[in-house]
Amino acid sequence: MASLWRYVLAGLGLAALLTGVLAAVYLTAPHAPQRAGSEIVRSKKTANGLFVASFEPERGDVRQGELQSWLLTLKTDAGVPVEAAAITISGGMPQHRHGLPTSPQATDYLGDGCYRIDGVKFTMSGLWQLHFAISAAAGSDTVVFDVLL
Amino acid sequence: MSRLSRLLALLAMAVLAGCGKLAFSDAEKNTIASLALSALPPLKTDTTNRYADVPAAAALGSTLFFDTGMSGDGLVSCSTCHKIDRQFQDDLPRAVGVGRTNRRTMPLAGVAHDPWFFWDGRRDSLWAQALAPLENPLEQAGNRAAYAHYIKARFGERYERIFGPLPDLSDVPANASPLGSDVQKAAWNAMPAAQAEAVNRVFANIGKAIAAFERSIAPPRTRFDRFAAALATGIQPGDDAFSPEEILGLKLFIGKANCVTCHTGPRFTDSGFHNTGVPPVANLPPDRGRVDAVAQVEADPFNCFGAFRDGEASACGELRFMVKSGPELVRAYKTPSLRGAATRAPYMHAGQFSSLDEVVAHYSKAPASVEGTSEVHPLQLSDRERAALVAFLKTLAE
């Protein structure tokens, strides 16, 4: 009788320990991504290596829920600015399977390979992706930038 | 180890595990802080309406909002449906004005923060929105020529102090509008362009005055906000403390149940449009949501690109960069704020659900949309979890 009790208690003890450990893991695990603006890579080669693209907010910080302008700068591998590029933009939140809340457009060429991308808006925190299809004298290529907010 | 000490250890672990469930991680605390009313930014100036923050305009707008003279039959005002003591809505599944509409009256607290108006966002400013019910035959069923005459007769002096001289209306027909009956349309088309423009200007100013009033309708602070403030400062929340059930509901809302992906920020809305698989109401005409609103807002002569906007066209970014097509617009509706929702059933764009239990059951099952694709995925919530979500939503209405 006494030994049966011991097994039951030990069993319960183990279960409680497990619950405790699980609770600790649950509490310390990162639940949401980092806060505002910590996007991942701001400069990279396009998919087929035709251009080097960099993408950053025009006014420094990323704000949630506001229309913002960003700058896309396109250079060749040799560092020559890419002029007269036609750029189309799409994207969304891969984890939530929804698209962008706005349809951003390249509205201005500012010189030195730099294009203003207007109408960018991120409505919630999480991982966003912006896909650029770029077509210029050198050819057509694509690039995807992650923005984490 | 004695049996007693083993028992004590067991108890201690059980208590620890139990308490752990009630505490919030740093990430959760950040999310909770982002939902508190104190995080709501001040209302931005609306440069498209230079009367938006003029007190006399808001006062006139308030008069017009409650005036049943502002209707075709003299019986309906904005406040017939947007009732001041009912969170500016009417508790009906579908609104009733001069006729019966096919959509639910939207509450108005904090609405001025939004870029789009109506369940499908077919207007792009608060002042352009206000003009729609005035001429909708199912709502106030008036026409713009009649409203111009009415303003001159009833509120001429007040109007002129704000907007300057009223135009000469002596030759303007008593009833005329490009959107009215055939007779009214004919009367409108017979008006000289300058006269039509002058009537449109008065009409737009009516909208601008009403919008100035609506900007003052703010969401009240709730028990959730007091709880969030206490959590942020580490002070004991006292009477506002959440029960374990409410805490579970809050954790689900910002965690496993993913509600916060759309019901985000201090108004619990991303101000965007989503298909959430809410079924249509039988026997109503087809309602495709956002996808059919795009052409309407583009065609609206009172939109941001139109002649009646004040200020610069640079304020028209939302219209300029609007998503115009795509499968995600089909049966997408504006995410409603959840503040106060618990005390204003029924729910959804056509009053499809009569209780929060039904709403949460819908999210738990996440049925496919009749058209387009629902963005929500089945959650398989237990009875206890569903009740907890409802309990949490109630803290946003206390």
Side-chain angles (χ1 to χ4, degrees), chain B residues 70-84:
Chain B
M70 294 291 287
S71 63
D73 67 359
L75 298 173
V76 180
S77 69
C78 310
S79 71
T80 303
C81 303
H82 301 283
K83 295 182 194 302
I84 189 166

Side-chain angles (χ1 to χ4, degrees), chain B residues 110-156:
Chain B
V111 67
H113 288 268
D114 278 333
W116 301 106
F117 304 90
F118 287 127
W119 284 105
D120 52 13
R122 65 184 179 278
R123 288 296 179 273
D124 68 339
S125 72
L126 208 45
W127 60 269
Q129 188 287 328
L131 306 178
L134 289 172
E135 291 196 322
N136 183 330
L138 303 175
E139 298 186 69
Q140 277 148 289
N143 63 83
R144 61 193 75 177
Y147 288 124
H149 286 295
Y150 180 74
I151 290 288
K152 185 159 194 158
R154 284 289 311 270
F155 308 108

Side-chain angles (χ1 to χ4, degrees), chain B residues 17-210:
Chain B
C19 288
K21 275 201 153 162
L22 297 184
F24 293 102
S25 69
D26 285 347
E28 285 175 324
K29 283 185 183 166
N30 283 338
T31 306
I32 293 166
S34 75
L35 295 171
L37 197 56
S38 54
L40 187 68
L43 209 49
K44 274 194 254 149
T45 49
D46 177 3
T47 55
T48 74
N49 173 6
R50 62 193 159 98
Y51 311 98
D53 298 309
V54 174
L60 176 61
S62 153
T63 305
L64 299 177
F65 190 94
F66 295 98
D67 181 5
T68 53
M70 294 291 287
S71 63
D73 67 359
L75 298 173
V76 180
S77 69
C78 310
S79 71
T80 303
C81 303
H82 301 283
K83 295 182 194 302
I84 189 166
D85 55 347
R86 291 299 309 140
Q87 297 186 44
F88 289 93
Q89 55 86 53
D90 55 13
D91 302 315
L92 297 171
R94 286 163 308 275
V96 180
V98 171
R100 291 181 169 274
T101 76
N102 299 323
R103 294 248 180 96
R104 200 190 100 219
T105 304
M106 304 173 86
L108 300 182
V111 67
H113 288 268
D114 278 333
W116 301 106
F117 304 90
F118 287 127
W119 284 105
D120 52 13
R122 65 184 179 278
R123 288 296 179 273
D124 68 339
S125 72
L126 208 45
W127 60 269
Q129 188 287 328
L131 306 178
L134 289 172
E135 291 196 322
N136 183 330
L138 303 175
E139 298 186 69
Q140 277 148 289
N143 63 83
R144 61 193 75 177
Y147 288 124
H149 286 295
Y150 180 74
I151 290 288
K152 185 159 194 158
R154 284 289 311 270
F155 308 108
E157 257 175 55
R158 279 176 79 183
Y159 176 99
E160 291 190 339
R161 270 201 303 267
I162 303 159
F163 300 106
L166 275 157
D168 176 13
L169 298 175
S170 50
D171 292 339
V172 172
N175 296 292
S177 164
L179 304 180
S181 63
D182 288 344
V183 180
Q184 289 169 9
K185 279 186 197 152
W188 182 262
N189 291 334
M191 283 164 63
Q195 198 180 53
E197 158 98 15
V199 170
N200 274 339
R201 173 83 44 199
V202 176
F203 194 41
N205 285 340
I206 291 172
K208 289 178 182 180
I210 293 175

